Structure formats: structure tokens, C-alpha cells
Amino acid sequence: MTDRTLPSVTLGRTGPETGVQGLGCMGMSFGYGPADAEQSRAALERALELGVTLYDTADAYGAGENERFLAPFFKAHRDEVVVATKFALSIPPDDPGKRIIRNDAPYIRQSVEDSLRRLGVDVIDLYYMHRRDVDIPLEDTVGVMADLVREGKVKHLGLSEVTAAELRAAHAVHPIAALQSEWSLFSRDIEAQVVPAARELGVGLVPYSPLGRGFLTGAFTDAAKELTADDFRRSQPRFTGDNAAANAALLEPVRQVAEAHGATPGQVALAWAHQRAAVHGLTVVPIPGTRRAERVTENAGAAHLVLTGEELALLEPIAGRVAGDRYADMTFTSAGREG
């Protein structure tokens, strides 16, 4: 597919202007096994050349290492990029499967200062609550986040993996520009309640893992057998054993559509995600993650690929047939709390 420059959109009703596709940067420092820093830097530069302006990170990715890695790139291109990071989630280095969530005011205030310092910026363009701590009133958490906007430390607010009711409650305290949740051909649970709420409120959707953490591209078929020991996908139920084998068989229609367009399966998966904007009537900016410039080019090309109604119908049943949950513990997701 073509490597034309990406068009821009406004992220939701109140958010920043960004390229219609962003870049998930987690894998450059964390989660997907060893990374090559030089290749990752080349991927960042190639993304910007193609019109990718939204760069997504979090303080949890490598205990701040991902933010530190991105800082020189942001410094060199500060006026051209939208810096998005997150607070609330800690992952112990000695137990990568464990999640510690905090939404209390002192923690948020310390987190934003730490992220500003590591990123080397004066203000964070889009600041997300990474996960919901159900023991802290959401209104209190968003109230502190709103204070950060008033204080000039943050420009726009985002949430990740919240329910429709939580999104409405948060938006009543302060406008929410973006909601980041998993959304792909393999993961469509947010369409039932969360997506309609986002459309109603004018909140942009930022789908993470729109390539199913690489599974939709055919990059691997069984995480336990093919990925390194430090790759967290080995702990996700749908990517190992019988589940992985069953899910690999679901990719055949993706390959068929790709062949018809002279595209790759990954481009078809991303094109599907981009077309959710028209289907659901809201802004959608997927953030596929990669560490290679050639994959950035491939992914950006998907924004110009238009799938037909017949092709969309062929892809429609996939999510309902996926074996295994998104995470071993779904309580950290909107689906785990949605009534």
C-alpha cells in the first residue's frame, strides 16, 4: 500500500489535532522482548515523516524507561508531536504479570511530576488514567486531573479501559478528550456500551493493540513456543495452546481480503479499525505499536485502504469466535466491570 502522508483529525470534541493514526511506543522498551534502540529511533522518525503525530507511552512501560527513551525525540520535534502518557499502573520488574493500580491524589501528583521530568517536556498533551482503582471515587481522581490542566501541567485528559458509566461520570467532572481501550478484529467488547457513550459525549477513541498484539499480522501463532521468555504475550490466554491454534484459524478471511487488495493482513486489520469511525460516528485514532520503520510505513498505508461492505461482512464474525480472554485477569478492563 501507499506511504502517502496521513490526514489529520481532531481527537474527539475537545482534544488535540493528530494524525489519523498514532504510534504505540511501549514495545521499544517493554513487554515484547528485546528491542534495538537504533531501529526504534528510526521508526519514530519515519512515523513523523508519514504524518504520525500522536506518540503513546506510559510511566509503567519499563518503570519509566520508555518515557526516558522517547525524551530526545520529543525534544527534537516538540512542536510537531502530541505527547500522550499515563499514570495509575505499576508493574513490578520481578513479577511482570502483576498489576498495582493507584488513583489517589498524592500518587497522581507525584506521577505527573515524574513523567514531565523523564519526558523532558513542560506540559503533557494528553494525560491518561491508565487503569481504574475502584476503591477511589472516580470523581476525585478526575478532579485531580482537572487541577493539572488548570495548573498548566496537562493539556487534555484521557481514560483507559473504563466502562460507559465511568466515562459519563468522569466527563461530568471535566471534558475527556480520548478513551483508550483495546479494539480490534479480535476484541470488540467495547462496542456494546462504551463506544455509544463515547459518541454521545464527543470522546475520541484510541484503540490500542489494533493488530491483536501482532497476532492478526501472522507474526506468531503460539506465544509460548515462539516468543521470548520476557514477552508478556505468553501470559495472555488467547495466544497459547489450544486457544492460539483456534484463533490462528480465524485469520483466513483476513488473508483473503488482504490478497484481494495487494495488502498485508495487518493492513486489513488496521483498515477495519479506521473504518470504525464511519460505522460508529466518532473519531478513531488507532495506535499500532512497532519498533521498525518498514512496519511504520506498512501500518500508515492502511489508513488509505478502504474495505468494501462485502469484505467487512466477511470479517464481522471473527471477534465472536475468538478463544480466550484478552487478559488472564479481566477485572482491570472495562469488560470486567461493565454491567
Side-chain angles (χ1 to χ4, degrees), residues 23-42:
L23 180 63
C25 301
M26 180 185 79
M28 296 177 181
S29 307
F30 170 79
Y32 288 170
D36 183 292
E38 185 175 346
Q39 288 183 342
S40 293
R41 284 190 286 268

Side-chain angles (χ1 to χ4, degrees), residues 52 58 74 82 92 99 114 152 165 168 184 212 255 276 305 328 331 334:
V52 173
F74 291 153
V82 175
R99 299 292 186 268
D114 291 345
R168 289 191 174 94
S184 73
R255 287 190 285 267
R276 298 304 92 193
L305 172 61
T331 60
S334 59

Side-chain angles (χ1 to χ4, degrees), residues 242-278:
D242 291 342
N243 287 346
N247 293 335
L250 298 177
L251 300 181
E252 183 55 33
V254 182
R255 287 190 285 267
Q256 291 177 18
V257 174
E259 184 176 352
H261 285 274
T264 65
Q267 287 177 320
V268 170
L270 283 174
W272 178 90
H274 280 292
Q275 286 182 241
R276 298 304 92 193

Side-chain angles (χ1 to χ4, degrees), residues 115-198:
S115 286
L116 286 166
R117 184 187 70 255
R118 286 189 294 259
L119 292 164
V121 298
D122 296 326
V123 61
I124 294 167
D125 299 311
L126 178 58
Y127 200 43
Y128 288 100
M129 182 187 76
H130 204 162
R131 290 293 186 270
R132 168 94 164 92
D133 179 353
V134 295
D135 294 326
I136 302 292
L138 183 60
E139 292 81 358
D140 292 354
T141 299
V142 179
V144 177
M145 295 171 72
D147 287 341
L148 299 180
V149 175
R150 286 187 283 271
E151 294 164 13
K153 295 176 181 179
V154 170
K155 289 185 180 179
H156 304 281
L157 302 185
L159 303 173
S160 181
E161 288 287 359
V162 297
T163 68
E166 290 166 347
L167 179 59
R168 289 191 174 94
H171 197 76
V173 176
H174 188 279
I176 302 300
L179 171 62
Q180 186 176 133
S181 287
E182 187 167 355
W183 199 8
S184 73
L185 281 169
F186 265 27
S187 302
R188 298 180 59 179
D189 50 76
I190 66 169
E191 292 178 18
Q193 299 185 50
V194 176
V195 170

